[in-house]
Amino acid sequence: MKRVFSGVQPTGNIHLGNYLGALRQFVELQEEYQCLYCIVDLHAITVPQDPKELRKHILDVAALYLAVGVDPKKSIVFVQSDVPGHSELGWILTCSSYTGELSRMTQFKAKSQNKASAPAGLFTYPVLMAADILLYDTDVVPVGTDQKQHIELCRDLAIRVNNTRKKTFVVPEGRYLKAGARIMSLDDPSKKMSKSAENIHSRISLLDEPSKIKKSIMKATTDSEGIIRFDKDEKPGLSNLINIYSALSDKTIDEIIAMYEGKGYGDFKKDLVEITVDALTPIKEKFDEIRSSQELIDILEDGAEKANEIAEKTMARVKDNFGLGLK
Ligand code: AMP
Ligand code: TRP
């Protein structure tokens, strides 16, 4: 069976972009692949984290995985730092990476902009991500398109090691959806929807109340033309909303445009509120049920054990191919 790996950082505010770009794919893939879904806490500490909050967010993301439909009977759900292989392989791959290629990562450039010095963890973050993926001989990585450059680096590292040592790694492929691959900010459609933006109305979090969802959508930036049509350059705000509508309703963009011919933004937004609330309500209900249960902890412990079994085999092969250790 081919293998899937993906991860989400435990930093609160998991939003519609995370859901439509990544989490939705996780559920779909479970039927055909052996899937590993990780809560990447080691990635979260590339920026300062309050220990209590971090623990809480780890369990929040785990519960959200299950609430959107990840099934622990089919998939392995676990916390990154519970499997030592991630850090270990991260270091080994760091030694196969170059500062030049890491300096070109747009996410690093954006996060270190205007700073004389940046945390080294932010710089090597994509190498740890490559380790996450390569540790499990992953074939497919479902992510939003913002991660494309990191996936390419992971592939480059795998190929580089394979070419200079015995074949060590499976070279993975990224998997990106058409609708939902990049959801933009509701208040500024030139930026991607993000967990860390200050304005809470820039995003819809998966656990938002209906009244908050309504407010955020009704306030969303559009334009003054008043015609519902899809045009990312001229009408980025409305096009983003149409994209969200399409992803949540399984209607094509053309179908949506035909439905709203002669209608105004108000009607369109009102319907989008309803569709969004209907999609998120069952997720929130399931989340509330699961979040405080012992079952959640049991699932994560069991997941770590299973992930470790696979990781240990890969690490033995990697160490052997690099000549590390005694056996
Ligand atoms: P992160 O929040 O950075 O841990 O991202 C978790 C997953 O959500 C990754 O697969 C990202 O590519 C995806 N993602 C994050 N933001 C967006 C967005 N605005 N649109 C689509 N996918 C996103
Ligand atoms: N870097 C990813 C993000 O910010 C999260 C991540 C870490 C990840 N390791 C991964 C995604 C491995 C896919 C596979 O979204």
Side-chain angles (χ1 to χ4, degrees):
M1 217 176 186
K2 291 209 164 195
R3 213 170 261 158
V4 160
F5 181 96
S6 196
V8 174
Q9 294 190 57
T11 41
N13 294 329
I14 301 288
H15 53 68
L16 214 49
N18 298 129
Y19 177 57
L20 296 177
L23 292 174
R24 218 167 35 131
Q25 299 195 65
F26 294 7
V27 180
E28 221 178 278
L29 291 165
Q30 300 184 104
E31 310 304 327
E32 275 178 66
Y33 294 85
Q34 180 184 31
C35 299
L36 291 110
Y37 296 127
C38 186
I39 298 121
V40 290
D41 55 348
L42 295 169
H43 278 97
I45 62 165
T46 51
V47 296
Q49 297 287 343
D50 174 74
K52 276 211 187 90
E53 286 288 299
L54 182 58
R55 279 264 156 81
K56 176 180 166 294
H57 289 147
I58 288 172
L59 294 175
D60 285 348
V61 172
L64 268 176
Y65 277 176
L66 304 181
V68 301
V70 169
D71 179 353
K73 290 197 191 73
K74 296 180 186 152
S75 301
I76 301 175
V77 181
F78 70 105
V79 182
Q80 186 185 30
S81 64
D82 283 340
V83 179
H86 292 261
S87 308
E88 214 177 343
L89 185 57
W91 173 252
I92 294 170
L93 290 175
T94 300
C95 299
S96 296
S97 312
Y98 289 88
T99 55
E101 60 192 349
L102 297 184
S103 314
R104 286 193 292 275
M105 295 291 123
T106 51
Q107 192 169 307
F108 172 72
K109 284 200 268 189
K111 289 194 175 175
S112 61
Q113 214 176 21
N114 305 325
K115 293 192 186 111
S117 185
L122 272 185
F123 188 62
T124 55
Y125 175 112
V127 184
L128 180 60
M129 175 164 164
D132 298 341
I133 297 167
L134 300 180
L135 187 58
Y136 299 98
D137 292 333
T138 302
D139 299 287
V140 178
V141 189
V143 278
T145 47
D146 62 324
Q147 296 301 312
K148 218 171 194 166
Q149 205 188 17
H150 293 162
I151 301 288
E152 287 310 310
L153 177 82
C154 173
R155 289 168 54 85
D156 288 348
L157 288 173
I159 293 168
R160 185 177 304 154
V161 171
N162 286 349
N163 286 343
T164 50
R165 322 243 159 212
K166 261 200 311 207
K167 183 175 179 305
T168 308
F169 296 121
V170 171
V171 181
E173 307 260 352
R175 183 181 192 268
Y176 315 95
L177 291 176
K178 278 202 191 79
R182 191 169 169 82
I183 300 296
M184 309 312 283
S185 213
L186 298 181
D187 63 337
D188 176 359
S190 68
K191 299 198 179 112
K192 70 170 181 176
M193 187 176 282
S194 95
K195 291 170 175 170
S196 54
E198 223 160 272
N199 180 3
I200 58 164
H201 293 296
S202 69
R203 65 182 158 259
I204 292 172
S205 294
L206 294 191
L207 303 175
D208 275 351
E209 296 295 337
S211 58
K212 152 72 175 61
I213 295 174
K214 181 170 178 195
K215 201 161 175 199
S216 302
I217 291 178
M218 297 317 281
K219 278 166 83 91
T221 303
T222 49
D223 55 77
S224 55
E225 190 190 46
I227 297 171
I228 311 244
R229 60 185 183 87
F230 191 85
D231 183 336
K232 266 194 177 156
D233 298 325
E234 296 287 320
K235 297 162 78 74
L238 189 74
S239 299
N240 185 41
L241 296 181
I242 295 175
N243 213 352
I244 295 173
Y245 193 123
S246 170
L248 288 177
S249 67
D250 286 325
K251 287 194 169 61
T252 65
I253 288 173
D254 287 343
E255 282 167 351
I256 295 166
I257 289 165
M259 275 167 62
Y260 288 94
E261 210 187 308
K263 292 191 178 163
Y265 295 169
D267 290 328
F268 170 81
K269 281 183 166 180
K270 244 174 40 208
D271 291 349
L272 180 58
V273 171
E274 200 179 305
I275 288 169
T276 310
V277 170
D278 284 351
L280 299 190
T281 303
I283 295 177
K284 190 166 157 43
E285 282 171 5
K286 185 101 190 279
F287 174 89
D288 289 338
E289 186 187 306
I290 253 164
R291 172 61 175 83
S292 51
S293 69
Q294 176 59 34
E295 194 197 348
L296 182 63
I297 309 291
D298 294 345
I299 289 169
L300 292 173
E301 284 177 356
D302 180 55
E305 208 171 296
K306 289 183 177 143
N308 243 314
E309 263 174 44
I310 306 173
E312 277 171 8
K313 287 196 189 117
T314 311
M315 284 317 296
R317 188 176 75 226
V318 170
K319 284 184 176 169
D320 194 40
N321 289 357
F322 278 81
L324 291 163
L326 289 179
K327 45 177 185 11

